[in-house]
Amino acid sequence: MRTYLVTGGAGFIGSNYIHYMFRKYKDTIHIINVDKLTYAGNLENLKEVEELDNYTFVKADICDKEAIRKIFAEHDIDRVVHFAAESHVDRSIKDPEVFIRTNVLGTAVMLNCAREAWELPDGSYREGKKFLHVSTDEVYGSLPDDPHAFFYETSPYDPHSPYSASKASSDFLVKAYIDTYKFPANITNCSNNYGPYQFPEKLIPLIINNALQGKKLPVYGDGKNVRDWLYVDDHAKGIDMVQEQGRLGETYNIGGHNEKQNIEIIHIILETLLEMLPQGDPRRELVSENLITYVEDRKGHDRRYAIAPDKIRAEIGWEPETMFKEGIRKTIAWFFEHEEWMKNVTSGAYQKYYQEMYQE
Ligand code: NAD
Ligand code: TYD
């Protein structure tokens, strides 16, 4: 049985990845999920797997070297899939330090502990051990509004927000381990994800949640910033394929050529909500374009992100499976079925964040 150490598995992408992996590999893998359970980590995301014999949860901070070392000492880890991070750009603008601690120091601790556990005296590594660092396309900076300009694996790093700067630093640490110690790792740089379990501070779940309550839909700047959206299961599949089939030491960009302006996303969500809400549902009265509210722009707001997924397609055969219209319907259906989840994550600390962020 292959043993995975997944960091940040209680967050949005990590929990979807864990569900994907258990669907695909069933009881042939053991997953150990290490998560600090910050505001973004939620064990409710993993209710369906928590009773499985081949799933283990460890509450720990990835910056805590002793805690991480202990996991490697107690289990023969074959694969590390490193998601844990502070992940929200707006929070990084307000409070950068925690991003540097978790994203940079935490990655260094993960790399060190894996190397300690896996390296042999001659500098080679134990058979089959692999580390995958999950990163973002935001490290490449911002593209012009030119439909022919894309991010490639060879694009220079040019991060602008404290979030992307911290992720860029963590990517460079992984690259340094690959070059210096021949460490068996890959990096994936993915575009914006959406889907079930996404915390409603990010654009898509925030708009769904606000629209259903008749609350304002905040649009930063002119609403024409472009993001390249990928359904989260397609990302999970890409991570697994890169780890199994990718060339060690290589970086792979993951994205599905699905660029949309933020304002287009908001219109699609509103239309889809009205298509999906049954006649007579009182929320139909609340969902309206009149809720769209232009607000002050994000500081240093990157204009456009767009991935060229040529390398992952050519070398590994990865293709996205979920068209945006289908993905957004699945996401909205999930939120309809998980009202309680949304209520739980938007109470307490989130209320305070929301009021401070949007001055409401
Ligand atoms: P998230 O914020 O939803 O989840 C992060 C998880 O990490 C949470 O469960 C949190 O509790 C945990 N965590 C945070 N600090 C920790 C620490 N010090 N020790 C242990 N656990 C800690 O994030 P996400 O959207 O799921 O993103 C996961 C990864 O994917 C991140 O590395 C992010 O940079 C990357 N990524 C995200 C996107 C996206 O669109 N969301 C796109 C590309 C790449
Ligand atoms: P977000 O989901 O925070 O992801 P990222 O900043 O990592 O791309 O934001 C996606 C886009 O939506 C980004 O251009 C900022 C914009 N945005 C809004 O216009 N209003 C909002 O309330 C939020 C959260 C984001």
Side-chain angles (χ1 to χ4, degrees):
M1 182 178 292
R2 190 185 280 165
T3 301
Y4 284 77
L5 177 55
V6 173
T7 70
F12 162 49
I13 307 176
S15 57
N16 278 286
Y17 169 80
I18 290 175
H19 288 299
Y20 174 86
M21 293 297 279
F22 279 131
R23 279 199 303 275
K24 177 161 181 197
Y25 295 104
K26 310 234 161 25
D27 53 7
T28 66
I29 56 170
H30 176 202
I31 295 184
I32 301 163
N33 171 20
V34 55
D35 198 299
K36 183 183 175 183
L37 300 182
T38 66
Y39 78 94
N42 185 353
L43 289 181
E44 258 186 85
N45 299 1
L46 295 159
K47 263 202 321 265
E48 290 92 340
V49 304
E50 68 189 6
E51 299 295 326
L52 297 178
D53 292 338
N54 52 336
Y55 170 75
T56 308
F57 174 67
V58 180
K59 183 173 186 304
D61 185 335
I62 53 163
C63 301
D64 179 348
K65 191 164 184 178
E66 287 319 307
I68 302 301
R69 235 186 211 146
K70 188 159 173 271
I71 301 173
F72 277 96
E74 287 174 357
H75 303 272
D76 184 12
I77 305 292
D78 298 302
R79 302 278 189 272
V80 173
V81 184
H82 177 38
F83 293 96
E86 289 292 335
S87 69
H88 189 38
V89 173
D90 293 321
R91 288 185 191 253
S92 82
I93 294 168
K94 278 183 178 289
D95 180 13
E97 284 180 22
V98 64
F99 284 71
I100 295 156
R101 183 178 180 278
T102 288
N103 299 2
V104 185
L105 178 64
T107 300
V109 168
M110 291 307 305
L111 289 166
N112 260 325
C113 292
R115 185 178 157 230
E116 257 174 33
W118 293 348
E119 198 178 24
L120 293 167
D122 68 357
S124 66
Y125 288 83
R126 290 171 54 210
E127 183 79 27
K129 306 296 185 192
K130 294 183 188 181
F131 187 111
L132 190 138
H133 176 62
V134 179
S135 193
T136 166
D137 60 355
E138 303 190 23
V139 298
Y140 299 120
S142 183
L143 290 165
D145 280 329
D146 165 3
H148 302 295
F150 294 106
F151 294 139
Y152 293 91
E153 289 78 0
T154 49
S155 300
Y157 273 39
D158 184 21
H160 297 134
S161 71
Y163 164 67
S164 53
S166 69
K167 290 297 291 188
S169 310
S170 66
D171 290 11
F172 281 129
L173 275 174
V174 180
K175 288 173 197 274
Y177 269 64
I178 292 168
D179 292 344
T180 310
Y181 308 113
K182 307 283 172 268
F183 185 70
N186 288 104
I187 300 173
T188 52
N189 295 92
C190 188
S191 62
N192 286 60
N193 285 214
Y194 68 100
Y197 303 110
Q198 188 166 29
F199 196 81
E201 64 188 355
K202 305 277 167 65
L203 181 71
I204 288 184
L206 186 140
I207 296 299
I208 296 172
N209 187 39
N210 282 17
L212 288 170
Q213 295 177 65
K215 281 169 68 175
K216 286 182 192 158
L217 309 177
V219 184
Y220 299 167
D222 64 2
K224 294 187 177 156
N225 297 65
V226 171
R227 297 292 181 265
D228 184 359
W229 295 94
L230 184 71
Y231 191 64
V232 64
D233 275 356
D234 286 331
H235 187 190
K237 183 179 79 166
I239 288 169
D240 181 43
M241 288 177 81
V242 166
Q243 194 157 49
E244 294 319 310
Q245 300 167 47
R247 285 181 293 135
L248 277 175
E250 292 292 312
T251 290
Y252 294 89
N253 284 350
I254 307 182
H257 279 307
N258 182 43
E259 289 174 52
K260 300 224 179 309
Q261 291 182 344
N262 296 333
I263 193 68
E264 284 179 73
I265 293 284
I266 295 174
H267 285 298
I268 294 172
I269 292 174
L270 292 173
E271 279 161 25
T272 314
L273 283 170
L274 288 173
E275 279 165 25
M276 291 178 70
L277 281 167
Q279 293 299 333
D281 188 310
R283 291 173 296 181
R284 289 185 71 86
E285 302 301 316
L286 302 173
V287 174
S288 156
E289 307 224 326
N290 297 332
L291 299 172
I292 294 174
T293 309
Y294 286 85
V295 300
E296 192 188 331
D297 207 357
R298 174 186 278 171
K299 290 187 175 68
H301 196 175
D302 286 338
R303 188 65 178 170
R304 173 170 168 258
Y305 302 144
I307 288 264
D310 304 10
K311 181 175 173 182
I312 190 170
R313 190 190 290 135
E315 285 191 15
I316 295 179
W318 175 88
E319 292 274 0
E321 284 172 18
T322 314
M323 300 303 290
F324 189 68
K325 186 73 190 157
E326 179 199 345
I328 207 76
R329 286 185 78 89
K330 278 162 89 165
T331 305
I332 290 174
W334 187 88
F335 280 108
F336 282 168
E337 286 158 19
H338 293 79
E339 276 182 47
E340 213 42 44
W341 182 94
M342 185 61 97
K343 274 197 197 121
N344 292 344
V345 301
T346 52
S347 59
Y350 180 71
Q351 291 284 1
K352 187 165 171 282
Y353 164 81
Y354 194 87
Q355 278 153 12
E356 278 174 18
M357 179 70 207
Y358 297 97
Q359 277 96 45
E360 278 184 11

